[in-house]
Amino acid sequence: MEDVGGDRLAVDAGLRARAARVIPGGLYGHQNVASLPRGYPQFMSHGLGSRVWDVDGNEYIDLMCSYGPVLLGHRHPRVDEAVARQAALADCQNGPSPRMVELAEAMTDSVDHADWAIFSKNGTDATTQCVTIARAATAKRKILVATGAYHGAAPWCTPGPSGVLPEDRAHLIQYRYNDLASVEAAASAAGDDLAGIVVSPIRHDIGVDLELPDPVFATGLRALCDRTGAVLILDDVRCGLRLHHGSSWEPIGVAPDLSAWSKAIANGYALGAVLGRASLADAVRSIYTTGSFWFAAVSMAASLATLQVLDEEDTVGRTVKIGTMLREGLAEQASARGLEVSLSGPVQMPFLSFAGDDTFALANVFAQRSILGGVYLHPRHNWFVSGAMDEDDLARVLDVTESAFDEVAASS
Ligand SMILES: Cc1ncc(COP(=O)(O)O)c(C=O)c1O
């Protein structure tokens, strides 16, 4: 039997045992590897470029990018430099540094629909602020959300029911992604109490194939909001800057009223942002929104550097190129073994699923073989291609996925 844990993850095992005593469940949230096949390390040591290392020193090509925040690659030198420069001055002070104004200028310059920006720390901060601003602006209560969509871990949106009151969700009405008729029905149910519609740029629900937006759906949402006065909120937390240097719906010509950002905007440093159009600035002024660390300068310096590198290195173009080669390679390998797979989503945020694999048994075999071979990917969540991944990394990934598909074929 291959060593999927044992000596290979000995240091990790020690940390897990200690964690189990002082951290409920050993770990909370999406980074708990208890739901992944055996062989995944729980604790990581460091990263560089396209690679990450666990606490036992095992090296992996990183196809999860910290679940989205790392876009340019780990410890990108330009971002590191900006961070060190700012950290030598100050991070958390009695007031923000000039970086805040510079960043608001940079983001409103690069995102078409944005006239102003506010900053926070996480995606949940940003999506929750969007909902609050929409309600403040309209003095209405109902918010439309897509069934199964993830917008964060606050009571209004967390997927887990424990500790959540029906009242926390009392004014949410669900629609189906890419189904305009279901949005119209939800809007009718809201009557004259509709404050806003939250939508993600693509459908990226956990465990199901990703769906690109139907332009008819996206333009239909815009038209509905124009007709009713509801606020169109684009949750760009996961896709933002990966698909386009601007709002992710700019390429299909649909401008939201508000957009929520986090994850990749500071290449791994903690930062959230809401961008919006001028007519909503008064609503922002009217709400009380703040946080002890929301004005800290280091992550804003990281974000400014990230925005510059994104253009200079054409990160979107590079990840599309490598992502396309990855998709083609995976499709070829699966088909050579007679395995029916679906490869969905934008190529730089790919998702792989096996036909009929409702329990993820095959996806788990694939993921386990990959992690043991030194490729960090996920069986149920979309992957992320970083700008640091090059053709050598890709060749190494495809080497490993070749044997992962062999094992799936043998087990199916
Ligand atoms: C689309 C989307 N919105 C919001 C969030 C919440 O972001 P955070 O985990 O930073 O609070 C996430 C996180 O995965 C996300 O993918």
Side-chain angles (χ1 to χ4, degrees), residues 44-90:
M44 305 303 292
S45 161
H46 61 285
L48 184 64
S50 60
R51 312 275 169 135
V52 287
W53 285 262
D54 67 24
V55 287
D56 285 272
N58 299 301
E59 176 180 332
Y60 307 91
I61 297 179
D62 187 11
L63 276 174
M64 285 310 291
C65 294
S66 319
Y67 287 77
V70 171
L71 171 58
L72 309 173
H74 294 269
R75 282 162 54 201
H76 190 284
R78 291 276 303 283
V79 177
D80 272 12
E81 233 174 74
V83 161
R85 212 177 317 121
Q86 184 58 49
L89 292 171

Side-chain angles (χ1 to χ4, degrees), residues 165-176:
L165 305 177
E167 289 87 335
D168 292 322
R169 318 273 180 120
H171 297 293
L172 300 184
I173 305 178
Q174 301 201 352
Y175 65 87
R176 283 182 303 281

Side-chain angles (χ1 to χ4, degrees), residues 30 122-125 127 150-153 200 204 235 237-238 262-263:
H30 66 294
N122 279 284
T124 308
D125 297 334
T127 56
Y150 186 67
H151 299 298
S200 51
H204 45 35
D235 178 356
V237 168
R238 197 180 314 179
S262 187
K263 292 209 186 268

